[in-house]
Amino acid sequence: MSTRLGSVHDIPLGEGRTYAVAGEMVAVFRLRDGSVRAVSAVCPHKGGPLADGQIDAEVVICPLHLTAFDLTTGCARGDLPPVKVYPVTVDADDMLVIPSEVLL
């Protein structure tokens, strides 16, 4: 079973959006190459909104304190704990999809 979040086209290239999914806040990013990544939407430092952070092909930078988190592993480039990474795909209808079992 999977959860459809919405159209990938709702996220401009190079930006992120936050989705509430099964009681969790998930930040989904559409990278400039068209690929997508998803991590916890809340920075573990002071709760910064990661979907509002700057991204490149590898990291998202928290807009509050500039801590970088790897978009593939969730690891912080610093001494903070990692953020959770979610597998996200785009289906044939261009909808963002997260497997439901990873949200439990």
Side-chain angles (χ1 to χ4, degrees):
M1 186 106 178
S2 298
T3 300
R4 296 174 97 187
L5 304 178
S7 172
V8 69
H9 302 294
D10 291 342
I11 306 174
L13 287 173
E15 294 189 18
R17 295 290 185 268
T18 300
Y19 296 88
V21 185
E24 298 201 30
M25 301 305 287
V26 177
V28 179
F29 299 94
R30 187 172 175 213
L31 306 184
R32 295 213 177 270
D33 67 2
S35 63
V36 292
R37 302 284 187 276
V39 299
S40 172
V42 181
C43 176
H45 180 219
K46 294 207 174 189
L50 291 180
D52 294 340
Q54 295 285 320
I55 63 168
D56 64 16
E58 298 178 9
V59 299
V60 56
I61 298 172
C62 176
L64 295 185
H65 298 94
L66 306 179
T67 298
F69 294 91
D70 188 295
L71 288 169
T72 302
T73 66
C75 291
R77 294 193 177 166
D79 58 356
L80 293 178
V83 292
K84 186 172 181 177
V85 174
Y86 300 93
V88 62
T89 58
V90 179
D91 70 12
D93 297 324
D94 288 340
M95 299 293 285
L96 296 160
V97 178
I98 290 182
S100 296
E101 61 270 12
V102 300
L103 299 167
L104 300 176

